[in-house]
Amino acid sequence: MKISHYLYNTFIIETDDKKIAIDPGGLMFYFFRFTTIIPKSEWKSITHIFVTHGDPDHYWHADRLEESSGAPIICNKTMIKNVDGKNLMLGPRDKGLAFTTEVAKIHTLTVDETIEVDGMSITGIKTTHGSLTFRLGPFSKTLTPGPEERIGWGAIGFRIQIDGKTIVNLGDTLLHADEWSSINSPDVLMIPIGGKTVHNTMDVKEALQAVQVMKPKLVIPCHYNCPAFFSKKYNPADEHEFKKEVEKLGINCAILYKGDSINY
């Protein structure tokens, strides 16, 4: 199995017969660039697309990737509405809660629900997106997830059992130690660590608590030091300190920068 990390929570997982894309978002608001995080050279070979929530930077290109590859999208049921027999996804490039984007192939699930897709067993994991604060000079605005808010819409994590291995991806989330206690020793845990300055996800300390609860074999930190909102290092975190603390627990930790891969 080959795991490649790009930015934010964007990953590609490759096995002998599958190539999974997680959160195929866009590089948002940085010098007004809206480029794809997953290189277009990879698009046609993708076999499955996972979306953890409805923030545009996490799935800006999901429908385009589906159209290019023919791969199904796997997401929370709340990301889809059936209107006149059509499956409409929350529009990646629309404002607000607009369900406008038709998708041809879709598999949905809820928290604690397990579905079987093409030989994979996929279980929804409880996640909660934290509040997000935008700052520009003396001005700031805080967005808090809620029933009428776009931010964090449809948040869900995934436990993916594939080729005898268990992969856990949590997306953007705060700590849910009690709910995650049933996740026992996954092979790989992809976990956000950049929530210290802006608490939209766990910070390093909270992520370490999650690692202690789940006891994975390999941890890959993500969603930290990312370009966003005119900053080259939004959601700052010390990944080397995190790695050191994880390894004190007797658990392997791999730091993957943009485009880096690991064979597992």
Side-chain angles (χ1 to χ4, degrees):
M1 178 180 292
K2 179 181 177 183
I3 300 173
S4 302
H5 183 219
Y6 292 90
L7 292 170
Y8 309 108
N9 185 54
T10 302
F11 289 88
I12 289 180
I13 302 170
E14 298 178 68
T15 67
D16 289 340
D17 63 344
K18 293 179 179 63
K19 191 170 184 178
I20 296 168
I22 299 178
D23 283 357
L27 183 55
M28 305 288 289
F29 305 121
Y30 182 52
F31 298 131
F32 302 101
R33 293 169 62 196
F34 294 85
T35 56
T36 177
I37 298 177
I38 293 178
K40 285 191 175 181
S41 59
E42 303 281 357
W43 281 20
K44 288 187 177 181
S45 57
I46 296 298
T47 63
H48 299 83
I49 303 162
F50 285 74
V51 173
T52 63
H53 64 288
D55 285 4
D57 57 314
H58 285 259
Y59 82 122
W60 185 265
H61 294 287
D63 58 318
R64 294 167 172 169
L65 181 53
E66 183 222 25
E67 183 178 359
S68 175
S69 65
I73 295 174
I74 297 105
C75 62
N76 196 328
K77 286 183 177 178
T78 59
M79 289 289 293
I80 301 292
K81 283 187 178 180
N82 189 278
V83 180
D84 296 330
K86 296 180 179 179
N87 288 319
L88 301 181
M89 183 171 61
L90 181 65
R93 296 168 297 280
D94 291 327
K95 294 181 179 179
L97 297 176
F99 290 82
T100 58
T101 303
E102 186 174 1
V103 288
K105 297 180 180 180
I106 191 81
H107 299 282
T108 61
L109 72 167
T110 58
V111 171
D112 294 330
E113 181 181 5
T114 298
I115 60 174
E116 305 294 326
V117 178
D118 299 330
M120 294 182 289
S121 181
I122 305 163
T123 301
I125 298 172
K126 171 72 174 179
T127 62
T128 301
H129 196 292
S131 298
L132 184 62
T133 300
F134 305 93
R135 292 188 176 88
L136 184 60
F139 304 101
S140 67
K141 182 177 181 179
T142 298
L143 300 177
T144 301
E148 304 299 325
E149 294 292 339
R150 170 66 177 262
I151 183 172
W153 185 270
I156 195 168
F158 298 105
R159 177 166 54 186
I160 307 166
Q161 293 177 293
I162 179 173
D163 286 5
K165 290 185 170 63
T166 300
I167 312 298
V168 170
N169 183 285
L170 297 174
D172 291 3
T173 185
L174 305 176
L175 178 64
H176 285 285
D178 290 342
E179 289 88 345
W180 297 342
S181 62
S182 63
I183 303 172
N184 185 29
S185 299
D187 292 281
V188 181
L189 171 64
M190 302 163 176
I191 189 167
I193 66 169
K196 182 177 181 179
T197 303
V198 178
H199 201 220
N200 56 328
T201 76
M202 290 177 282
D203 59 18
V204 165
K205 183 178 179 181
E206 292 163 331
L208 284 169
Q209 292 180 55
V211 169
Q212 289 175 309
V213 166
M214 288 183 267
K215 299 178 176 60
K217 297 179 177 67
L218 172 66
V219 177
I220 303 175
C222 60
H223 211 280
Y224 66 94
N225 296 346
C226 297
F229 310 119
F230 307 100
S231 171
K232 291 184 177 180
K233 287 191 175 183
Y234 197 76
N235 282 131
D238 186 338
E239 68 273 34
H240 298 289
E241 178 66 21
F242 177 75
K243 176 181 170 68
K244 182 175 73 174
E245 295 301 318
V246 168
E247 291 178 344
K248 283 182 181 178
L249 301 171
I251 296 170
N252 293 323
C253 182
I255 296 173
L256 302 181
Y257 298 113
K258 183 181 178 182
D260 286 350
S261 301
I262 185 171
N263 290 310
Y264 184 79

